[in-house]
């Protein structure tokens, strides 16, 4: 058995048999990242309608619910009990579809039991949700076709995966051009040493497999994604003394990022963009991420990559975009990514977590 397969088996046992509810976890992480804006009513309503037994076995660390999901084809990586999937199935509506992928048979079996319940609860004529057992690193083998998804979502599962590049590459492959990966995960303040990665409990809690936040940027670029956009973040407090001692001087944060699949070889040009106020529930202002706040009818200058994102993604009709005549000049200096640091954003928002899914007292 390879090292990756060994890790998978340990995670399956940890989440499939050992953990009965989120309260069984040994660390305390955020059940919800603090964002720059309140959570939309449609999201809180959808989550409140999810069956209690599904919510009980939810192990996520954030709230990865982007705006404008109606009619979208959505893929949830590491769907677990199905909590987020069922909420997404309400948000995409009867014309959209949600697919949940998880490698743990017990969780897939449990989540499938509530398909008919939520179909009736949401008033859909037929189910718009499918749960598939499979690996995030091998989505084609799980039956997910390339260029078939509008949005790929994930809630605190990449930190449990040993081959994060393979997961991001697969997510990129199954997205349509202009699609996005919007996900929450645990991040470390520095590179996690090998001896922590070999600790089964640390890995099961997400601490052993957390990515150093700065490595996400190069990883995203290497598979073809745009530069990540940081949406929200929370500090993660560790209350288990033994785990805290093992972590040493490494801190953890929960961060939500969005990455876009843009056309290859695009000529990036700066632009002036004006939000039309047309995204549902955001008539006056759309907080795209922690660095971009678009007020209705107010022109904002953006760099070439953000202009390309708005022009190519499902938000294209929500903005008036005036492209500059000149291509964006490339700077010889190394790009600075301080604005993508989840620890800095968490400090700015004053967000610290006391209780959540991937944790316990």
């Amino acid at each position: 058995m390879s090292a990756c397969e060994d890790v998978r088996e340990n995670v399956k046992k940890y989440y499939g048999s050992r953990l009965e509810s989120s309260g069984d976890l040994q660390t305390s992480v955020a059940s919800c990242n603090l964002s720059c804006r309140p959570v939309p009513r449609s999201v809180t309503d959808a989550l409140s309608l999810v069956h209690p037994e599904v919510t009980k076995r939810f192990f996520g660390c954030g709230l990865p619910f982007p705006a404008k999901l109606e009619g979208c084809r959505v893929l949830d990586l590491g769907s677990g009990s199905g909590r987020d999937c069922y909420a997404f199935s309400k948000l995409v509506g009867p014309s959209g579809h949600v697919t949940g992928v998880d490698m743990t048979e017990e969780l897939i079996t449990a989540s499938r039991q509530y398909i008919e319940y939520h179909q009736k609860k949401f008033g859909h004529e037929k189910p718009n949700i499918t749960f598939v057992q499979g690996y995030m690193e091998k989505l084609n083998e799980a039956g997910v076709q390339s260029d078939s998804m509008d949005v790929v979502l994930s809630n605190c599962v990449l930190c449990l995966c040993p081959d994060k590049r393979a997961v991001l590459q697969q997510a990129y492959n199954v997205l349509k051009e202009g699609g996005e990966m919007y996900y929450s995960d645990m991040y470390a303040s520095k590179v996690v040493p090998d001896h922590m990665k070999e600790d089964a409990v640390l890995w099961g809690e997400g601490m052993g497999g957390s990515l150093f936040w700065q490595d996400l940027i190069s990883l995203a670029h290497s598979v073809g994604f745009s530069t990540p956009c940081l949406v929200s973040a929370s500090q993660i407090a560790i209350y288990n003394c033994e785990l805290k001692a093992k972590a040493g001087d490494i801190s953890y944060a929960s961060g939500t990022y969005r990455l876009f699949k843009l056309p290859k070889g695009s000529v990036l040009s700066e632009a002036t963009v004006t939000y039309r106020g047309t995204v549902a529930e955001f008539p006056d202002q759309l907080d795209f991420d922690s660095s971009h706040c678009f007020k209705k009818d107010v022109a904002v200058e953006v760099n070439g990559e953000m202009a390309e994102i708005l022009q190519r993604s499902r938000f294209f009709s929500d903005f008036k975009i005036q492209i500059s005549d000149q291509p964006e000049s490339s700077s010889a200096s190394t790009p600075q990514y301080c604005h993508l640091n989840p620890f800095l954003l968490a400090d700015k928002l004053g967000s610290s977590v006391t209780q959540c899914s991937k944790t316990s007292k």
Side-chain angles (χ1 to χ4, degrees), residues 99 101 132-136 138-145:
T99 301
V101 174
V132 179
Q133 185 178 358
Y135 296 110
M136 297 182 290
K138 301 177 180 180
L139 292 177
N140 288 132
E141 290 184 10
V144 183
Q145 301 300 311

Side-chain angles (χ1 to χ4, degrees), residues 323-345:
I323 302 294
S324 169
D325 293 334
Q326 298 297 323
E328 189 172 52
S329 59
S330 58
S331 173
S333 61
T334 303
Q336 299 299 308
Y337 294 120
C338 293
H339 63 292
L340 302 181
N341 186 335
F343 295 90
L344 292 181
L345 180 60

Side-chain angles (χ1 to χ4, degrees), residues 3 19 36 40 48 82 97 140 159 163-165 182 186-187 213 259 262 271 284 319 330 343:
L19 301 182
C36 306
S48 70
H97 189 272
N140 288 132
C159 58
D163 193 348
K164 294 168 178 55
R165 190 185 191 283
Y182 189 107
M186 285 177 66
Y187 292 92
W213 71 268
L259 294 68
L262 301 178
D284 303 314
F319 287 86
S330 58
F343 295 90

Side-chain angles (χ1 to χ4, degrees), residues 11 36 53 118 120 124 132 135 146 165 167 245 253 261-263 300-301 313 342 352 358:
V11 172
C36 306
E53 285 300 313
H118 290 93
K120 293 178 179 178
H124 295 162
V132 179
Y135 296 110
S146 298
R165 190 185 191 283
V167 175
K261 181 176 181 176
L262 301 178
V300 177
E301 292 184 1
S313 69
S352 174
K358 225 179 244 337

